[in-house]
Amino acid sequence: MPRFYVTTPIYYVNDKPHIGHTYTTIVADILARWHRLIGEDVFFLTGTDENSQKTVQAAHQKKEKDIQKYTDQMSSMWQMTWDSLGFSHNDFIRTTEERHKKGVIKLFEKIQKKGDIYKGKYKGFYCSGCEAFIKESDLARGKCPLHKTKPDFIEEENLFFKLTNYKDKLLDHIKKHPEFIQPETRRNEVVSYIETALEDVSISRPNKGWGIPLPQDPKQVFYVWFDALINYLTGIGYGQDETKFSKWWAKDCPIVHLMAKDIIKFHCVIWPAMLMSSGLKLPDVIFAHGFFTIDEEKISKSLGNVIDPIFLSQKYGIDPVRYFVLREIPFGQDGDFSTKKLEERYNGDLANDLGNLVSRTLTMIEKYFESKVPAAGRPTKEEIETLVSSTWKKAEQGLDKFQFDKVLVAIWQLIDFANTYIEKNKPWELAKKDEKKLAQVLYNLTESLRHIAWMIYAFMPETAEKILSQLNVLESERKLSFDQIKKWGGLKPGTKIKKGKPLFPRI
Ligand code: ME8
């Protein structure tokens, strides 16, 4: 069975999840659901990054002396949020877990054996917001351009990783695999960084009582990014369950890392070099999407515009939020989140277009055929059938290329077509004069709804399930292969539909 492995970043536990974190996780969930739908064995990993100094600071701010207790509480809050939003991750990795620590040490020892680790002195700036060593030339008027805070100046004896050993290999890999770093703007940024600014990196820091101690020198802990990146291996069994690990970290299993553009240097430079050094394959795609603003403002606690995803999902339902963010912002670009725009799309695309199509079609089946799907005498292949098949193709191609907005546009063209098909054929008039044609029109519409439900399934799983259960096929169709699902004519005449409440009550 083909496999597919998708990850989100592991999120810091110094704060609650907001719409930005939710966005990346929604996309990972969409990819996971899509790849399961097309018949692949999928592993979807998310989790929390806990060994950071930010964790310690946040615990102190909350007057919590027991850092592990604070971390446990915060991590379970992230897990509960992801569960209540219905994400279909297969595991949730925490970097304070033993299974992770073991894997970090194992990978470190491999890199050390390769001769890529040496003792050195780091003298320079460190931004604790980024948890990153930062060059003077990267500061904006003495401050971190991202956090707008003054970095610390530190001087420490650390272990270093010979990142510069991998300069040519990295450039070569990126050149040979244009799909490795996406979108292209990010690839260019990474290439220029490697060409002009690559330096060896510290991979350890003084042990201040929090973090994973180095095996041979407990006065030092692993630098949090070195530790965090390894979650992509430990989350699938590295250092613990080699059979599981070799199933997912394998040549023939596509590996996709998702994140925003803020953390590409770690993922596209340090991480691949760590993998090269330890002799492991590189991920196939690292996709860095854009940054969200809210009503054109940066998301920040001080501005008080941090949108809680639970609040959004309670107000609108999680599916409309998923639909909105994917439809509104081309994946890869920066975008703005506004509840006004969300409500416009909710009332327009969802309530008017999709919701009405489902409710009108099923009302007519109730009215004209006693709630039973009529048999379609099909003399010729109708346009709607052809459109369904070309929409499937667009969905497959679009999802392969991470063009989620384009896929949704194509599906909505089909929905618009179906709504116009009703207007053109006027079933209420056919009911008076041509029952055969009426049966055909209504069969075509209901069968199209079945396809639409599966097409939106990865994007809006709850809505898809509601439609399929109104068509009374949810359970039986779960067992079908993707090819069977895509075939025209899957809906059996005589199926008794069960019209439900409106899918999207107007706001
Ligand atoms: O960086 N717009 O964790 P983090 C879009 N622990 N996406 C956003 C966003 C925004 N405004 N804000 C956050 C870390 N994100 C590390 C990662 S991985 C080995 C370690 C999303 O909690 C986006 O995916 O700061 C971004 O890359 C990530 O959250 C940063 O999460």
Side-chain angles (χ1 to χ4, degrees):
M1 198 183 206
R3 280 153 290 158
F4 181 76
Y5 177 32
V6 61
T7 68
T8 70
I10 47 170
Y11 304 106
Y12 288 127
V13 287
N14 62 325
D15 215 340
K16 294 196 301 189
H18 64 56
I19 187 68
H21 313 110
T22 310
Y23 179 57
T24 319
T25 318
I26 289 176
V27 175
D29 188 62
I30 290 172
L31 286 174
R33 285 176 190 272
W34 171 258
H35 283 268
R36 288 187 196 114
L37 178 70
I38 65 175
E40 294 175 7
D41 197 2
V42 171
F43 203 93
F44 164 15
L45 181 70
T46 186
T48 40
D49 186 353
E50 306 179 358
N51 296 316
S52 157
Q53 278 307 306
K54 286 167 180 280
T55 311
V56 180
Q57 285 158 9
H60 287 162
Q61 266 170 17
K62 299 233 167 82
K63 309 251 177 306
E64 178 54 79
K65 286 203 186 78
D66 186 340
I67 313 293
Q68 189 62 54
K69 188 172 149 206
Y70 166 82
T71 309
D72 292 344
Q73 283 166 351
M74 289 303 285
S75 179
S76 60
M77 196 258 296
W78 279 81
Q79 292 185 51
M80 268 163 19
T81 306
W82 282 179
D83 287 343
S84 78
L85 297 178
F87 293 140
S88 64
H89 44 286
N90 298 81
D91 207 340
F92 189 102
I93 179 93
R94 301 184 52 195
T95 55
T96 53
E97 286 175 283
E98 270 319 302
R99 60 168 171 159
H100 177 72
K101 294 181 186 170
K102 268 191 183 165
V104 169
I105 291 170
K106 179 172 170 173
L107 196 87
F108 165 72
E109 287 175 345
K110 274 207 153 171
I111 297 177
Q112 192 173 40
K113 224 170 166 186
K114 180 81 193 289
D116 284 336
I117 302 284
Y118 65 95
K119 230 185 197 161
K121 197 171 210 177
Y122 178 78
K123 192 174 167 187
F125 292 101
Y126 188 87
C127 169
S128 56
C130 299
E131 285 283 14
F133 303 91
I134 185 165
K135 283 193 187 137
E136 192 162 9
S137 54
D138 289 336
L139 300 178
R141 278 192 240 116
K143 291 183 175 171
C144 161
L146 204 67
H147 292 90
K148 317 275 183 241
T149 47
K150 256 193 161 169
D152 301 323
F153 189 84
I154 57 173
E155 202 171 336
E156 314 176 331
E157 278 245 322
N158 292 333
L159 289 190
F160 278 72
F161 170 50
K162 281 188 190 163
L163 185 56
T164 47
N165 271 0
Y166 294 91
K167 181 174 178 177
D168 294 339
K169 268 181 130 183
L170 283 168
L171 289 170
D172 188 52
H173 185 85
I174 296 169
K175 203 167 145 201
K176 283 198 183 122
H177 301 89
E179 71 295 342
F180 178 53
I181 302 172
Q182 298 186 49
E184 203 186 338
T185 43
R186 302 293 155 234
R187 180 162 67 245
N188 296 341
E189 214 174 281
V190 169
V191 167
S192 131
Y193 173 78
I194 299 175
E195 280 173 346
T196 60
L198 198 70
E199 285 177 355
D200 291 346
V201 280
S202 294
I203 59 146
S204 72
R205 304 224 42 215
N207 187 350
K208 293 184 184 155
W210 190 247
I212 306 177
L214 297 194
Q216 69 265 68
D217 180 8
K219 283 206 233 54
Q220 293 253 307
V221 289
F222 286 105
Y223 166 48
V224 67
W225 269 100
F226 181 84
D227 135 26
L229 287 161
I230 301 171
N231 92 86
Y232 301 128
L233 307 181
T234 55
I236 47 168
Y238 185 75
Q240 184 97 356
D241 179 346
E242 287 310 309
T243 318
K244 181 173 173 188
F245 176 67
S246 56
K247 172 177 176 186
W248 297 107
W249 204 271
K251 260 209 170 86
D252 55 349
C253 172
I255 301 168
V256 176
H257 293 324
L258 301 173
M259 71 213 59
K261 61 186 184 183
D262 53 337
I263 51 179
I264 50 169
K265 277 185 202 155
F266 301 102
H267 282 85
C268 303
V269 183
I270 302 179
W271 178 229
M274 284 164 66
L275 290 166
M276 282 171 173
S277 171
S278 52
L280 290 167
K281 87 162 233 183
L282 304 198
D284 297 273
V285 174
I286 300 175
F287 201 113
H289 61 72
F291 245 57
F292 260 60
T293 49
I294 299 202
D295 296 322
E296 314 292 343
E297 297 268 16
K298 182 175 180 272
I299 305 180
S300 99
K301 250 191 185 172
S302 49
L303 288 173
N305 65 354
V306 178
I307 296 189
D308 175 5
I310 300 272
F311 163 78
L312 274 184
S313 80
Q314 281 168 350
K315 183 156 181 207
Y316 302 101
I318 183 64
D319 279 8
V321 176
R322 291 167 71 109
Y323 173 77
F324 171 72
V325 291
L326 271 299
R327 174 65 186 82
E328 188 72 20
I329 305 156
F331 193 57
Q333 295 178 20
D334 291 339
D336 188 51
F337 187 96
S338 95
T339 43
K340 185 169 167 275
K341 284 190 256 172
L342 167 62
E343 289 183 4
E344 278 164 17
R345 289 226 178 255
Y346 180 102
N347 282 332
D349 304 5
L350 299 180
N352 277 354
D353 300 344
L354 177 58
N356 271 349
L357 177 66
V358 173
S359 122
R360 286 162 95 191
T361 306
L362 297 190
T363 303
M364 291 189 284
I365 300 276
E366 270 182 348
K367 189 165 167 195
Y368 303 126
F369 294 99
E370 292 168 345
S371 298
K372 285 200 191 119
V373 175
R378 298 193 308 125
T380 51
K381 192 166 173 171
E382 282 203 42
E383 211 182 326
I384 196 161
E385 186 181 334
T386 317
L387 186 61
V388 161
S389 124
S390 65
T391 309
W392 272 121
K393 276 205 193 91
K394 284 185 189 161
E396 286 171 71
Q397 285 161 357
L399 274 140
D400 254 3
K401 294 189 192 141
F402 305 91
Q403 294 173 339
F404 306 103
D405 59 327
K406 287 201 174 137
V407 175
L408 290 171
V409 167
I411 302 173
W412 257 256
Q413 279 163 352
L414 172 62
I415 293 171
D416 285 347
F417 185 92
N419 275 318
T420 314
Y421 183 79
I422 300 181
E423 298 310 324
K424 268 197 192 149
N425 283 289
K426 302 191 175 50
W428 48 94
E429 285 181 11
L430 291 177
K432 292 181 216 144
K433 54 182 194 210
D434 188 347
E435 179 146 347
K436 231 172 153 184
K437 180 89 193 279
L438 176 69
Q440 188 169 342
V441 166
L442 284 183
Y443 181 84
N444 287 345
L445 281 168
T446 345
E447 171 65 357
S448 301
L449 282 184
R450 186 184 70 81
H451 287 275
I452 290 166
W454 283 118
M455 286 170 188
I456 63 168
Y457 165 75
F459 295 92
M460 296 197 281
E462 279 179 11
T463 308
E465 293 199 356
K466 278 186 197 159
I467 299 174
L468 292 168
S469 95
Q470 294 192 27
L471 295 176
N472 201 6
V473 296
L474 181 60
E475 290 316 316
S476 57
E477 299 237 330
R478 279 192 206 276
K479 298 176 204 108
L480 298 184
S481 71
F482 184 54
D483 280 341
Q484 287 169 316
I485 281 173
K486 279 194 307 184
K487 237 195 198 140
W488 183 263
L491 190 60
K492 297 283 162 287
T495 307
K496 194 150 184 157
I497 59 108
K498 303 182 285 191
K499 189 169 172 266
K501 287 192 209 130
L503 292 176
F504 304 101
R506 289 183 70 85
I507 298 170

